[in-house]
Amino acid sequence: MIAELGPQLFTSLRRSDQRARGEQYLRGLLYAEGRKSIRNLATVVGGAGTEQSLHHFITESTWNWAPMRAALTRHVERTVRPRAWVVQSMPIQKAGEQTVGIDRRFVPELGYSVHGQHSFGMWMASEAMSAPVNWRLHLSAPWLENEEKRRRADIPDWVEKESPGECAAASALEALEWGAEARPVVLPSRDVVSSSVLSRFHTAGVPVIARLRPMDQLRVADTAMPGYGAGPIPVADMLQHVRGLRRPVEWLDGSSGAPVVRESLVAGIRVELPQARRAASSPQQWLLMGEWTDRNGPPSELWLTDLTTMSLDGLTRLAKLSKRTAFDSAATGEQVGLRDFTGRSFQAWHRHLTLSSAAHIVSIGADHAASRMRAAGAAGSRAVGRPQRQTD
């Protein structure tokens, strides 16, 4: 797999020694045991003398990570055949104050505050596998407004202050600049959804499926539904009125690796954003979708999408791709160092995450190929062991 991906990945590196270091770093991420520090990587690809050259390659060299990510994107489009892009939050808990982006903030997915880095990764996902192709590190005001901290962390001038939602959106939309085919974007992080973020995707022509919080408010757009004309209503309350319209939907759960068929009750209602009537005479319409895993309880998931003509079955399956990325991140991504960078440099963080993403892609590709070979072998064994039909 390295032989297949390497030439595509490192073609933007002009010097042969850089390409050699890139391949060494990639192999180290794949084969080193434990935390993927540069010292640890060097032990499996060349020893002490290699550590300094790998450190220079990541922290002091000037190569641009964007062409590599564009190459990764093209490769993943061919191999994963994604149905959607999933923008996944990745908080990285760390001690100390020197690592670039370190801050304390509340992480809704965890339910508590974390001292560390906070980033967003754009994953291309199918039911069978997923892989990250782009990353964006969210930097708080103390990192961007303190010139000394910016200088020490090597933060470029083009990096400006942005909200978590803007950071998440940018991690996905940057892929369009590389010629990636636009696909529906799934936003499973409830704290990144806002009218401005949704508008940004709409303007770019990229459909979106965004997870909401029960207290988020929307307007009922269907004149036949209760609540029409009543103004903004909490979405959890709104869905209580369509409980009678729920129907079973099957979807593939990739949260444990091999996809498993599951079933939920799902219903939808057409809605508008709270400010839509003031902003336009014919406001854009959205679909609010609720999912119930407990027939008698409140909705377990709430999703908002502009894919208003897609079936509830199709929308549910797209939204559930976020379970695939969460599994692949934990089972493979963390094993190849997605959370292991500890240096001060913003540029080095991006280079490390680019190569960790490449290692992830190599790893899942090898696992997927092995699974297909095992399945083919099992099918062959059954065929060999099957009794031959007797004929007169």
Side-chain angles (χ1 to χ4, degrees):
M1 295 295 291
I2 293 180
E4 177 186 352
L5 178 60
Q8 305 171 48
L9 186 65
F10 301 128
T11 187
S12 60
L13 299 179
R14 296 181 179 181
R15 302 202 314 264
S16 59
D17 63 311
Q18 288 183 317
R19 294 191 291 272
R21 297 293 171 259
E23 184 170 326
Q24 284 181 320
Y25 202 93
L26 180 57
R27 289 186 181 277
L29 291 168
L30 287 165
Y31 302 124
E33 298 291 336
R35 191 170 66 87
K36 301 304 189 289
S37 65
I38 291 179
R39 175 172 296 178
N40 202 7
L41 304 188
T43 61
V44 298
V45 296
T50 308
E51 181 181 347
Q52 184 176 357
S53 59
L54 290 181
H55 183 272
H56 182 275
F57 176 70
I58 291 295
T59 64
E60 298 177 28
S61 186
T62 58
W63 58 271
N64 183 0
W65 63 79
M68 280 197 190
R69 293 186 183 177
L72 286 177
T73 299
R74 292 189 293 269
H75 179 79
V76 173
E77 283 189 318
R78 292 193 303 270
T79 55
V80 173
R81 297 178 182 175
R83 296 191 59 221
W85 299 348
V86 180
V87 177
Q88 181 170 301
S89 167
M90 189 175 75
I92 308 172
Q93 195 162 355
K94 290 183 180 294
E97 302 293 337
Q98 300 304 313
T99 300
V100 60
I102 285 282
D103 203 350
R104 175 168 289 277
R105 69 192 74 192
F106 180 77
V107 180
E109 292 88 349
L110 300 177
Y112 54 84
S113 294
V114 168
H115 181 81
Q117 297 169 309
H118 196 93
S119 62
F120 293 92
M122 193 277 267
W123 295 64
M124 291 183 160
S126 68
E127 284 87 355
M129 56 182 168
S130 65
V133 298
N134 195 34
W135 294 93
R136 200 165 178 98
L137 182 62
H138 185 253
L139 297 174
S140 60
W143 280 95
L144 296 175
E145 296 173 0
N146 185 312
E147 289 300 324
E148 177 61 19
K149 291 186 76 169
R150 285 192 75 123
R151 184 190 62 78
R152 285 192 285 108
D154 195 20
I155 299 173
D157 292 340
W158 55 262
V159 179
E160 299 178 344
K161 185 178 180 181
E162 58 188 1
S163 69
E166 292 168 336
C167 186
S171 72
L173 296 178
E174 280 178 341
L176 298 177
E177 301 173 9
W178 307 330
E181 179 182 346
R183 300 184 187 278
V185 170
V186 181
L187 299 175
S189 300
R190 295 178 179 88
D191 64 327
V192 304
V193 181
S194 66
S195 296
S196 61
V197 168
L198 296 174
S199 176
R200 188 169 177 181
F201 282 110
H202 179 68
T203 300
V206 177
V208 64
I209 305 174
R211 179 182 271 138
L212 299 182
R213 297 166 296 186
M215 71 288 294
D216 288 333
Q217 296 191 350
L218 298 169
R219 295 175 181 267
V220 176
D222 190 335
T223 58
M225 288 292 174
Y228 178 77
I233 300 173
V235 292
D237 295 343
M238 191 182 296
L239 285 167
Q240 291 298 320
H241 298 303
V242 297
R243 289 173 64 90
L245 301 179
R246 296 177 300 179
R247 62 181 184 80
V249 167
E250 289 187 344
W251 49 276
L252 291 175
D253 182 0
S255 61
S256 59
V260 176
V261 177
R262 301 198 186 280
E263 184 178 279
S264 300
L265 291 173
V266 177
I269 182 172
R270 289 183 179 268
V271 296
E272 297 170 355
L273 300 182
Q275 72 280 17
R277 293 182 183 276
R278 296 190 298 271
S281 57
S282 299
Q284 180 189 4
Q285 291 197 1
W286 298 76
L287 182 71
L288 171 65
M289 184 175 70
E291 176 197 355
W292 286 259
T293 52
D294 178 358
R295 178 181 294 273
N296 299 315
S300 54
E301 296 285 357
L302 304 161
W303 297 90
L304 179 68
T305 181
D306 54 357
L307 291 167
T308 56
T309 60
M310 182 176 284
S311 69
L312 293 178
D313 303 64
L315 290 170
T316 302
R317 290 167 189 153
L318 286 179
K320 294 300 182 179
L321 291 175
S322 59
K323 290 183 174 290
R324 176 80 251 181
T325 60
F327 172 82
D328 285 341
S329 176
T332 302
E334 294 195 21
Q335 309 309 310
V336 295
L338 288 182
R339 295 176 184 265
D340 284 353
F341 181 76
T342 58
R344 296 184 178 186
S345 169
F346 174 90
Q347 310 269 14
W349 183 87
H350 273 284
R351 295 186 187 115
H352 173 86
L353 264 291
T354 301
L355 291 166
S356 290
S357 298
H360 177 101
I361 292 163
V362 171
S363 184
I364 64 164
D367 290 345
H368 192 59
S371 296
R372 287 184 301 187
M373 290 182 65
R374 286 194 297 270
S381 297
R382 289 194 296 271
V384 170
R386 188 178 300 126
Q388 294 295 315
R389 177 177 297 177
Q390 299 295 314
T391 58
D392 294 334

